[in-house]
Each structure stands twice: as C-alpha cells, then as structure tokens.
Amino acid sequence: MLSFQENPKLVEEKVQQVYNLLKELCEVEDLPAVCYNARRALGVIWQITSDLDLEFEQLFHYKV
C-alpha cells in the first residue's frame, strides 16, 4: 500500500500521472462518455494536485 509519509514523491508522481492521463482523455472527441467522465474525474484530481502544490491551472479549456 502507498503511504504519503513513507514515500511522498512516489505518491506525487502517481497523482501527476493520473492528472495528465485524464487531461488527455478529456480531448477524446468520438466517445462522449469517456470525455464527459474524464472531465468530472479531472476536477477531483485537480483538487488533489492543488492540495499537494503539484500543479495549478485553470481547467476551463477542458470544460471542467
């Protein structure tokens, strides 16, 4: 199991990977369900990246 206290860098890397993957999935044009749900999930993961001070950007261009 992951532990932020034991390995904060690994947890941060994994969060960043998920964040970047979701941003890519938000660009899927021919499968609306994927795009829509990726946008919803991106909003949740954005909060985690913001809390960890990993990345801060406005997500309006992803329609979040």
Side-chain angles (χ1 to χ4, degrees):
M1 179 176 1
L2 287 175
S3 169
F4 186 75
Q5 290 181 345
E6 291 177 18
N7 198 345
K9 290 297 180 191
L10 180 61
V11 172
E12 290 174 354
E13 287 174 19
K14 289 191 177 293
V15 168
Q16 194 69 49
Q17 288 172 352
V18 170
Y19 183 74
N20 290 329
L21 287 171
L22 285 170
K23 288 196 312 186
E24 289 178 25
L25 288 173
C26 286
E27 302 293 331
V28 173
E29 296 177 358
D30 58 348
L31 198 54
V34 170
C35 184
Y36 175 77
N37 287 304
R39 287 178 186 157
R40 294 182 71 194
L42 183 61
V44 174
I45 299 300
W46 175 88
Q47 189 66 47
I48 295 170
T49 61
S50 178
D51 287 347
L52 293 175
D53 290 327
L54 298 176
E55 188 166 335
F56 181 81
E57 62 183 321
Q58 298 300 322
L59 298 177
F60 60 86
H61 56 281
Y62 293 103
K63 299 178 184 170
V64 174

